[in-house]
Amino acid sequence: MSSLLESVAFLEALILELLKDAAEDQNLEIIGVIPTIARAKMLIFWKAGERRASTLQKFQSALLCADKAAFDKGAQPYQDAQLVISLRNALVHFRPENTGVADTHDIEAKCRGKFPIHERLAMNPWWPDQCLSAGCADWAVKSVRAFAGDFCTRMGFQPHYQRNEAKGAWPSP
């Protein structure tokens, strides 16, 4: 559960920090590669109520402000990032349901094949037992890192977390 929660928090922090830095002209060693006009557009987006946009919409808006190609919502890495957010939302906004072992959870079909299920959990219900596994945690972290990495590449900067990994400040997964 923590991996899902923190994976989404990582995405939210990345985009909010970028938008705030662009709005305030801070951390220019990172965002200085973004043209001034793009940062001005991000300031408008920041002040106009970015809080109403979803996390992934904020990433799309930042790309559009910078005249960069938006993510294809029907392709990777967008699809897996959206799925990680959906799983997090299922945890955070949980609604009790009466389900049995044979019942299929709404997200189960979308997650099928994304991560391994431990054999000891095979007889348990998919949600939450099989889903909330080490395989899911690993997949969630890798999925949001792929999305974040793609975003930063499109924007043309290297984020703090990649800089710290390159310096050996902490290991990369």
Side-chain angles (χ1 to χ4, degrees):
M1 290 189 321
S2 295
S3 294
L4 287 171
L5 297 172
E6 294 303 321
S7 292
V8 176
F10 163 74
L11 285 180
E12 291 171 343
L14 176 65
I15 192 59
L16 291 177
E17 182 178 356
L18 171 74
L19 292 171
K20 181 182 178 298
D21 287 348
E24 297 175 357
D25 258 359
Q26 298 292 317
N27 287 323
L28 293 179
E29 73 276 4
I30 290 182
I31 67 160
V33 299
I34 300 171
T36 304
I37 189 72
R39 294 196 313 259
K41 290 177 188 176
M42 289 180 199
L43 170 62
I44 294 168
F45 177 66
W46 180 256
K47 288 186 173 183
E50 55 70 35
R51 287 176 176 83
R52 290 187 290 271
S54 74
T55 300
L56 295 182
Q57 288 170 333
K58 290 173 189 168
F59 280 98
Q60 296 285 55
S61 295
L63 289 166
L64 294 175
C65 286
D67 292 325
K68 305 293 183 181
F71 285 98
D72 177 352
K73 292 180 180 182
Q76 296 300 347
Y78 190 96
Q79 284 288 298
D80 279 354
Q82 179 63 56
L83 192 51
V84 171
I85 292 170
S86 295
L87 285 170
R88 187 281 311 254
N89 289 346
L91 286 170
V92 173
H93 307 292
F94 176 74
R95 297 195 95 134
E97 302 173 10
N98 288 331
T99 59
V101 175
D103 293 334
T104 301
H105 194 273
D106 294 340
I107 297 176
E108 180 179 357
K110 294 177 184 175
C111 288
R112 193 174 315 278
K114 297 283 183 186
F115 49 86
I117 304 296
H118 194 281
E119 62 188 43
R120 291 185 184 170
L121 299 174
M123 297 305 292
N124 294 12
W126 185 85
W127 180 261
D129 297 6
Q130 292 181 22
C131 177
L132 299 180
S133 63
C136 178
D138 184 56
W139 164 80
V141 169
K142 288 177 179 173
S143 296
V144 299
R145 285 180 59 91
F147 180 86
D150 191 340
F151 171 77
C152 293
T153 298
R154 289 172 190 233
M155 292 296 286
F157 68 88
Q158 185 181 34
H160 288 301
Y161 75 91
Q162 288 179 353
R163 290 173 182 222
N164 288 333
E165 288 170 354
K167 292 177 189 174
W170 59 68
S172 59

